[in-house]
Amino acid sequence: MAQSGKNKPPLDGSGFIVAALLAPGIALALFYVGMGLTESVVGAGGLGRLVGNFLLLLLIASFWGAVPSLIFGGLVLSVIQRMPWRAKSTPLVFMAGGMLAAGLYVLTGFGTAMLSPGVTMFFAPWATDLGAPGANRQEWWLVSSLLLSGAAAGLIYAAFAKRG
């Protein structure tokens, strides 16, 4: 009879917190890079303004994104911790779990935006402008950046969990 504790990957609380708190900043950086690659966002003399806006938005995204990142990431990590199969401690599983957590956040943000824009401002302010005219490219980059930041957070957590 196998011991249930042997198959479980070690839970690294500090690694989880670091990964969850980095995810919003990663999402914002990916969004800026993606938008910068697809549009001309820097005009003449606009680099300083772009960097200033990025730093301000990084502060805002980190503040607003920390709680959902901890909630959804913690929910998915607890599910991963309870899975009975052995391969659950691989970086690929944590990466997929991070994407799943980010996807749940995106879906919840979409749902909340349809039900109550006021509540959405506190929970997922990025979702308040969804469906606005001309926002399709930004919406695509926004959702992509959130999902990729979840994957990155999962890989960051995997590095902490691997060290044990």
Side-chain angles (χ1 to χ4, degrees):
M1 187 160 144
Q3 293 178 351
S4 63
K6 273 191 168 185
N7 291 340
K8 287 179 113 177
L11 176 63
D12 188 325
S14 61
F16 168 71
I17 290 172
V18 167
L21 294 180
L22 286 176
I26 293 169
L28 183 65
L30 290 170
F31 178 74
Y32 256 71
V33 168
M35 289 300 295
L37 292 174
T38 58
E39 293 184 8
S40 176
V41 291
V42 182
L47 185 59
R49 186 175 56 232
L50 181 70
V51 171
N53 286 342
F54 174 76
L55 292 176
L56 177 62
L57 285 174
L58 182 61
L59 177 68
I60 292 169
S62 296
F63 173 74
W64 251 296
V67 172
S69 184
L70 289 167
I71 290 171
F72 288 101
L75 174 70
V76 171
L77 183 60
S78 69
V79 169
I80 290 172
Q81 291 290 321
R82 287 175 175 71
M83 290 184 146
W85 42 284
R86 177 90 173 132
K88 66 182 167 184
S89 61
T90 65
L92 185 60
V93 170
F94 289 125
M95 182 181 79
M99 286 184 78
L100 176 63
L104 290 172
Y105 173 58
V106 167
L107 291 175
T108 305
F110 286 161
T112 307
M114 286 191 258
L115 296 175
S116 173
V119 172
T120 304
M121 278 304 296
F122 292 107
F123 176 70
W126 52 267
T128 57
D129 293 332
L130 293 177
N136 284 340
R137 184 175 290 168
Q138 289 180 353
E139 287 175 14
W140 185 84
W141 273 112
L142 182 81
V143 170
S144 297
S145 66
L146 288 169
L147 293 175
L148 289 172
S149 72
L155 289 174
I156 291 168
Y157 177 77
F160 278 96
K162 183 179 178 182
R163 289 192 303 178

